[in-house]
Amino acid sequence: MEWLLVAVAVLVASGLMAVVMTSFPRLSTFWGAVGGGAGCAIGLFAVVRVLWSGKVESLRWGWDVPYGSFSLELDPLSGFFAIPILVLSGLAAIYGSRYVAVFWDRKSVGELWFFFNLLVAGMLIVVLARNGMLFLVAWEVMSLAAFFLITFEHEKQEVRDAGKTFLIATHLGTAFLLTMFVLLGAESGSLDFADFANSPSTVSADLLFLLALVGFGTKAGLMPLHVWLPEAYPVAPSYVSAVMSGAMSKLGIYGLLRVLMFLSDVQPWWGWLLIGAGAISGILGILSALGQSDLKRLLAYSSIENIGIISMGMGLGVLGTSSQNPVLMVLGFAGALFHVINHAIFKGLLFLGAGVVFQATETCDLDRLGGLLKRMPWTGSAILIGSVAIAGLPPLNGFASEFVLYRACFNREGLLAALSTSIPCVAVIGSLALIGGLAAFAFVRVFGIAFLGEPRTPHAAGARSPNDRMSLPILLLAAGCIAIGLLSPLVFEKILPVVAQITHYELAMIESPAARASVPLSVVARVGCALFLLAGGLALVRRWLLSGREVAVSGTWGCGYSRSTPRIQYTASSFAQPAIGFFAPFFRTYTKLRAPRGLFPQSASLATENTDLSTDLIYHPLFGAVGRLLGKLRWLQQGRVHMYVLYVGCTILALMIWYVSMELPPADASMSGTVVERSP
Amino acid sequence: MEVATLLPLAVTLIMSPLLLGVINRTKAMVGGRKGPPLLQPYYDLIKLLGKGAVYSRTTTWVFRAGPIVSLAGCVLAATLVPLGGCESLIKFHGDLILLAYLLGLGRLCTVLAALDTGSPFEGMGASREAMFSALAESAFLLGLAALARNTGATSLTQMHAALADGAWSVSGLTLALVTVALLVVFLAENSRIPVDDPNTHLELTMIHEVMVLDHGGPDFAFILYGASIKLWVLGALIINLVLAPSAGESVADLGVALAGMLILAVLVGLIESTMARLRMPRVPQLLVGATALSGLALVLEFGGIGK
Amino acid sequence: MSTDLNLVLVMLANLAMLGSSRLSACIRLSAAQGILLSLLPLQLELAEHKLAPRLALFALTILVLKGVVFPALLMRTLRTADVRHEVVPMVGYVSSLIFGVIVLCFSFWVSSRLILPHPAPSPLVLPLALSTILIGLFLIISRKTALMQVVGYLVLENGIFIFGVALANKTPLLVEMGVLLDVFVAVFVMGIAIFHINREFDHIDVNQLTSLKD
């Protein structure tokens, strides 16, 4: 535990150093990146050491904030989420040390490093915190650091807009969390997690669950709470997006799991809700991804899809818990957790890859790319591995976790059991199948359009391989995709202690339900190895067949069109068109057409843009209405300081009168009173 | 390991191109022609394997890896499918998912190889293939889910065995619906009429054929062979469903199943001779229809009526 | 042929009607549905090993009306009125299909909580009757061609018929005859009306009738 504090200290101190050195960008980068990397390495060492020993380490200091205590603990669940945070952030720091070079001459990179390291430290404290107050403080530090990272290039209008959306979304989420913690702590009068778990809550568990779902779901990006993701991820520097998507959004999942542990009375409809929200996020997420032509925006939507898959797994787990069905419970939670790791790896990889593409070509628009694999063979191949993995295809890691979820459904205790279990299972199977097919479609499109074929613009043609410091993390993550795919039974086994903790079961008791998935997984892993061997064998056969024969190189067969140019290639929009047309009700497609005119048309153009349905249907009308309503209060805005002080004074007076006149039991009254006063 | 478990794989690897021969022969005979020899697909494969190769300047290693990985995926998929009372070589709970995803991997590789050429036509075919297979996948997995619910089994071999004891007389409805759904998936995934016309001569209307325009020599042989294995594997699922084995007689059962495969090929030939290819926008409708059939089968199972 | 198979075929005909674009195909499907339904009372009686001549006559009437007369009338109108042969949907075919499956699931759910005076002869009867009625309604609502609305009306009546035959096969012969007469008149009147609308306006798109309102 002390080592973890050292890691946090190193992160914060190096961030401060980077700020101090900010007028010397190289030095600042050096301090920031080395500190970030070192902090992550130390933290990783500490986490692995504790998890390996199988013990739970904790630490508790007093803290003179009301109801706060500096109470940290490293248990399997925390450790499980800490590992992807630390690994991904460490690799991102290495990558970032080179990525930020473009900002050296125009921006101060000191603040970038400060907030990046602060973000990592915040995330680490969030998973370790065992006190509601500490949790919320760390949560806010994390969110605000993320906000400053998103708005790093704040001279651009779209960046400022994205930052605003993020700030509103994250604070609305936090408001729900604050309410939830207050309600949780209302009974025992303490915000320590240990007390939540022990004290029987008087507040309805349903309400707490809903509050947690909205609060944490906003951070994770469950639809329709996802609006900030597709705005924020594209504008942040790529390595920050990688950390935010791979690690930070997972903390929403962590929070939800942690709260589920406090709630004793688990209801089946929670599971149905999680599965429903997951299926909607998954299907609509990947569909929206298909409609995007901006690579990073596409990846943001695909994050929503993966959160949906994770949520479906949790839903199965909750359903299993409520119906005392250990197989469904264990496999559901295990599949969700497995997918958490996998998503961190391949989404981190793809975001880092998107950064490479952006720096090499100065665009993320798929329709302006092409032929990049030839220009950056290693990075490109790694991105191909990431794309296959995220499409959930064997033998890579994405398939392993989806297989566990499928297996949770295809089961005597799942699909074949009573209707209340088997109907959700069918929903999961159907959604996963559709998501799988569409994800393959979406990522074939990404890789095929951006990396294969001929470059569509001079920018793409002039792309070069990235610096080693940028390609090394990508290659490592790609290796991770293959390794986890082939060693999936081992990884699955390491997840079981976490599942045991979430479900309050002994490890030995969940081993036999878990074997339902681990035994098939070992066969799947062997088939994966066989696939590599067979493909290698076939390659040798072909080499042998072709040896001594003519192997010619010529142009692509153009079906009779001999003067083809790169611009004749299928574009990203046309590639996605069958799906966009078919699923038209889920899109708002805006088309800008300049049709060819006259006998000798000079030029014509067609541009399409797919906007977010929930933004159009829910948020714009909602915020428009709120805006109009608040517009009526505009007379309060006098622009004079006296008036504002008067308002503050009136508020304090009103609160005091309200507080004094309340007749509540002492613990409760002081509790809610204090927190409400502190919240503004 | 028993020798019997190797049988389905061996039969698949040896006999799969024959199906194409039978289909083509049937079409020729219905059309009043004599048609190519039954073994023509084998001759084609041998001829292609003996040729050199031409690669486009645009392509990368993805283009060369495509046929190999896709064939490897199809061969491994063949190890998962039982046939006529013989168990499959590899069997475990949930192998049907691996089967679906291995075929998916094969498809992904073909699509990527097509995009690697930079040809607009191949891009067009790739886009269609990706779309239609995404829809076929849910029909396929939901159909298998209905089957799993019906037989109470979660591996293909178990399902196959469970169907043996007169399942058709007990739950014929569900099985019939699933069979039709699987037949649609079979036709769509193997690019047969009414989804795709393997003999079309206009690139704009092709799906699968247009994706492999640039492949030649051994690569094309791998692709053709992989496609024929896929045809066999998906066909075997249907035959396993329709011609349930009578317990015990494994040699006779295998014979019946093989005869069934040939009849299926004749059936495909007849369908291709009597139907026209659907317009492209109508294809998703057919696949959603297949999904609806799978869904109906599931609803029947849930209602406890399929029995 | 078992009752269940019969009912599932009726449902498949419903789905096919939702997914098909040709008016003539829809009419044929409704004819097939009618023929299947005419067998339903016979099957139910045979299951109890008795067959009253009165019932056989009833079934024959249904067969002739639903399987031959109505479709023939509609086909004749289709031919003579020289109208568009597509159904002109307001909801796409795929969405209609998906709607059909959802309706089916919904009907199963509803019928699982519905308590009947007599136990149904098959657990499929109630949900399929309900979904046939709802799909009939949907066809009327979502297709623009007037002829298709007659077909939808027939489908709806078929659903009511399943209800009547299967749930209360003892009493309501009279009721059923009444309904049939009703439909008969309706089809007749609509057929004639359509014929004349067509002659007056050269089309039978009901959307255009809105211009008739006050």
Side-chain angles (χ1 to χ4, degrees), chain A residues 394-433:
Chain A
L396 301 179
N397 59 350
F399 178 70
S401 46
E402 286 192 24
F403 180 82
V404 174
L405 289 180
Y406 271 121
R407 181 73 184 119
C409 301
F410 273 109
N411 214 319
R412 223 174 307 133
E413 284 78 8
L415 182 63
L416 310 181
L419 282 191
S420 59
T421 314
S422 56
I423 290 176
C425 282
V426 166
V428 172
I429 291 173
S431 318
L432 274 181

Side-chain angles (χ1 to χ4, degrees), chain B residues 19-160:
Chain B
L19 284 191
L20 283 174
V22 175
I23 294 175
N24 288 334
R25 192 61 181 267
T26 315
K27 282 165 74 176
M29 279 167 65
V30 175
R33 288 175 284 121
K34 186 160 165 284
L38 280 177
L39 297 183
Q40 187 62 43
Y42 293 94
Y43 304 149
D44 288 347
L45 286 178
I46 293 166
K47 180 188 74 185
L48 286 169
L49 285 175
K51 290 204 170 223
V54 183
Y55 292 112
S56 157
R57 232 169 265 121
T58 311
T59 58
T60 57
W61 64 267
V62 173
F63 182 79
R64 291 167 179 70
I68 291 178
V69 179
S70 122
L71 177 58
C74 290
V75 170
L76 285 175
T79 62
L80 299 171
V81 178
L83 188 68
C86 298
E87 296 187 340
S88 56
L89 181 61
I90 300 174
K91 50 184 179 297
F92 58 92
H93 293 287
D95 52 6
L96 38 98
I97 303 152
L98 184 61
L99 173 72
Y101 276 75
L102 276 175
L103 294 178
L105 177 72
R107 192 168 48 229
L108 180 106
C109 291
T110 329
V111 170
L112 279 178
L115 285 170
D116 200 9
T117 61
S119 149
F121 297 101
E122 302 207 17
M124 198 180 295
S127 158
R128 289 169 184 163
E129 173 108 342
M131 173 65 193
F132 296 157
S133 55
L135 292 177
E137 194 150 297
S138 25
F140 184 68
L141 279 174
L142 282 180
L144 289 182
L147 217 53
R149 173 94 188 166
N150 180 273
T151 56
T154 49
S155 90
L156 291 167
T157 299
Q158 277 181 0
M159 278 183 196
H160 187 39

Side-chain angles (χ1 to χ4, degrees), chain B residues 173 285 292-293 296 299-300 305, chain C residues 5 12 19 93 101 104 108 124:
Chain B
L173 273 179
Q285 203 180 322
L293 288 183
L296 187 58
V299 171
L300 287 184
I305 295 117
Chain C
L5 178 57
L12 286 181
Y93 302 115
V101 175
L104 185 69
F108 264 95
L124 268 181

Side-chain angles (χ1 to χ4, degrees), chain B:
Chain B
M1 186 175 16
E2 294 171 49
V3 187
T5 54
L6 278 174
L7 260 180
L9 179 63
V11 169
T12 311
L13 292 184
I14 295 167
M15 288 187 59
S16 55
L18 184 64
L19 284 191
L20 283 174
V22 175
I23 294 175
N24 288 334
R25 192 61 181 267
T26 315
K27 282 165 74 176
M29 279 167 65
V30 175
R33 288 175 284 121
K34 186 160 165 284
L38 280 177
L39 297 183
Q40 187 62 43
Y42 293 94
Y43 304 149
D44 288 347
L45 286 178
I46 293 166
K47 180 188 74 185
L48 286 169
L49 285 175
K51 290 204 170 223
V54 183
Y55 292 112
S56 157
R57 232 169 265 121
T58 311
T59 58
T60 57
W61 64 267
V62 173
F63 182 79
R64 291 167 179 70
I68 291 178
V69 179
S70 122
L71 177 58
C74 290
V75 170
L76 285 175
T79 62
L80 299 171
V81 178
L83 188 68
C86 298
E87 296 187 340
S88 56
L89 181 61
I90 300 174
K91 50 184 179 297
F92 58 92
H93 293 287
D95 52 6
L96 38 98
I97 303 152
L98 184 61
L99 173 72
Y101 276 75
L102 276 175
L103 294 178
L105 177 72
R107 192 168 48 229
L108 180 106
C109 291
T110 329
V111 170
L112 279 178
L115 285 170
D116 200 9
T117 61
S119 149
F121 297 101
E122 302 207 17
M124 198 180 295
S127 158
R128 289 169 184 163
E129 173 108 342
M131 173 65 193
F132 296 157
S133 55
L135 292 177
E137 194 150 297
S138 25
F140 184 68
L141 279 174
L142 282 180
L144 289 182
L147 217 53
R149 173 94 188 166
N150 180 273
T151 56
T154 49
S155 90
L156 291 167
T157 299
Q158 277 181 0
M159 278 183 196
H160 187 39
L163 286 172
D165 338 317
W168 273 85
S169 55
V170 188
S171 49
L173 273 179
T174 316
L175 296 184
L177 290 173
V178 173
T179 308
V180 176
L182 284 185
L183 187 67
V184 173
V185 172
F186 168 78
L187 293 174
E189 286 276 317
N190 290 303
S191 317
R192 314 302 309 185
I193 289 176
V195 173
D196 184 14
D197 186 354
N199 287 340
T200 177
H201 290 287
L202 183 61
E203 292 88 350
L204 284 171
T205 63
M206 295 178 177
I207 300 175
H208 185 259
E209 297 304 307
V210 76
M211 288 204 303
V212 296
L213 277 179
D214 245 59
H215 291 280
D219 286 311
F220 193 48
F222 287 169
I223 287 185
L224 283 185
Y225 188 47
S228 69
I229 292 179
K230 189 171 165 189
L231 183 74
W232 181 280
V233 163
L234 288 173
L237 287 182
I238 297 177
I239 292 303
N240 282 340
L241 187 56
V242 179
L243 299 174
S246 52
E249 299 289 326
S250 113
V251 178
D253 280 338
L254 192 62
V256 171
L258 291 182
M261 291 300 290
L262 296 182
I263 294 172
L264 181 70
V266 172
L267 180 71
V268 173
L270 288 178
I271 292 177
E272 302 214 342
S273 315
T274 51
M275 282 182 82
R277 197 178 60 77
L278 288 175
R279 281 190 302 129
M280 286 296 172
R282 299 281 288 183
V283 173
Q285 203 180 322
L286 181 74
L287 293 170
V288 171
T291 315
L293 288 183
S294 299
L296 187 58
L298 267 170
V299 171
L300 287 184
E301 277 303 315
F302 284 151
I305 295 117
K307 313 248 173 209

